[in-house]
């Protein structure tokens, strides 16, 4: 008698397929498994499906809305025997939602302006002073490498202009850069990711005290080229959660 196929089985099988693709891309780039984290972007699924993703082996989830991040954080932590999972904030963050995210998101990937960085810094500093927090908030700087008007993030030139200000902010610890590639072409995506890496190398060259080890880039349609271009963290939504999404 065969057991009914469950969603957890689907997630496990899909994860194996993803890992195969990841390994091929890592092989092309001469990199290894430890060099890249795989995030399952759970923004479109409910807490049960997010929990199944954790059971399937994902240890990092991403959410793009503050309220939903907090809801998933609380929902997942209330489940007995669920393996430990980290949640990151990857979407647009309004200043009036910063306090909600603090303490729930391990890393905020979407710092897109000096103004937002200052606002996060202020709120975290207050909590550090009050003894509520013991470490600065880890953040990534979102860069609009492709220059598409619809995309948020620092223009590379704007980031060059304010990186010293960003480095001086207490309360935040800048760990790396994040970007999103235009849809539709792996070639264009590869160029975008290479641009992110080159900007990282340039900034680290100019500021020896700056370490931008995390490069958060690559999604369902372009994670393989992202890994070949140096991504250290791929963010997978549809390909991880939707069994009928075709691997490309
Ligand atoms: C939704 C989302 C993803 C995942 O997108 P897919 O194309 O479904 O993999 C990755 N990063 C961010 C910032 C997102 O909002």
């Amino acid at each position: 008698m065969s057991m009914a196929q469950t969603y957890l089985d689907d997630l496990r099988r899909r994860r194996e397929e993803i890992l195969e693709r990841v390994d091929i891309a890592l092989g092309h780039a001469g990199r290894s498994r430890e060099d890249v984290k795989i995030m399952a972007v759970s923004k479109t699924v409910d807490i049960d499906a997010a929990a199944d993703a954790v059971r399937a082996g994902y240890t990092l989830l991403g959410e793009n809305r503050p309220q939903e991040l907090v809801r998933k954080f609380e929902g997942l932590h209330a489940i007995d025997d669920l393996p430990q999972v980290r949640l990151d904030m990857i979407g647009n963050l309004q200043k009036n939602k910063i306090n909600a995210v603090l303490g729930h998101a391990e890393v905020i990937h979407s710092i897109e302006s000096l103004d937002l960085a200052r606002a996060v810094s202020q709120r975290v500093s207050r909590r550090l002073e009050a003894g509520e927090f013991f470490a600065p908030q880890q953040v990534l700087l979102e860069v609009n490498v492709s220059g598409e008007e619809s995309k948020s993030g620092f223009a590379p030139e704007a980031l060059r202009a304010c990186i010293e200000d960003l480095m001086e902010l207490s309360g935040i610890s800048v760990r790396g850069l994040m970007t999103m590639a235009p849809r539709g072409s792996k070639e264009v995506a590869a160029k975008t990711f290479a641009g992110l890496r080159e900007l990282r190398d340039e900034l680290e060259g100019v500021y020896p005290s700056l370490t931008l080890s995390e490069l958060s880039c690559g999604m369902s349609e372009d994670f393989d080229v992202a890994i070949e271009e140096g991504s250290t963290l791929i963010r997978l939504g549809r390909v991880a959660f939707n069994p009928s999404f075709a691997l490309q």
Side-chain angles (χ1 to χ4, degrees), residues 23-41:
D23 284 342
I24 291 169
L26 285 168
H28 288 160
R31 308 174 65 209
S32 59
R33 273 267 178 101
E34 307 81 67
D35 298 341
V36 62
K37 300 180 197 67
I38 302 176
M39 168 193 285
V41 178

Side-chain angles (χ1 to χ4, degrees), residues 10-25 38 58 186 219-225 227 234 236-248:
D10 288 339
L11 291 178
R12 286 200 169 113
R13 183 169 337 96
R14 178 44 68 92
R15 188 175 145 81
E16 285 309 311
E17 292 170 347
I18 291 169
L19 288 174
E20 275 172 31
R21 297 293 179 98
V22 164
D23 284 342
I24 291 169
I38 302 176
Y58 294 100
K186 284 207 190 191
M219 314 197 329
S220 290
E221 291 167 11
D222 51 29
F223 68 89
D224 51 347
V225 294
I227 290 170
I234 55 175
L236 307 181
R238 291 163 297 157
V239 73
F241 284 103
N242 180 353
S244 59
F245 180 90
L247 266 139
Q248 296 164 15

Side-chain angles (χ1 to χ4, degrees), residues 41 43 64 90 178 180 183 219-220 235-238:
V41 178
K43 65 187 183 190
N64 69 340
I90 61 172
M178 180 270 224
M180 290 169 80
R183 288 241 152 108
M219 314 197 329
S220 290
R235 308 182 310 267
L236 307 181
R238 291 163 297 157

Side-chain angles (χ1 to χ4, degrees), residues 19 22 87 99-100 114 123-124 146 155 174 205 210 214:
L19 288 174
V22 164
L87 268 89
N99 276 324
L114 180 56
R123 287 159 181 74
V124 176
S146 68
V174 178
L210 184 64
E214 204 79 279

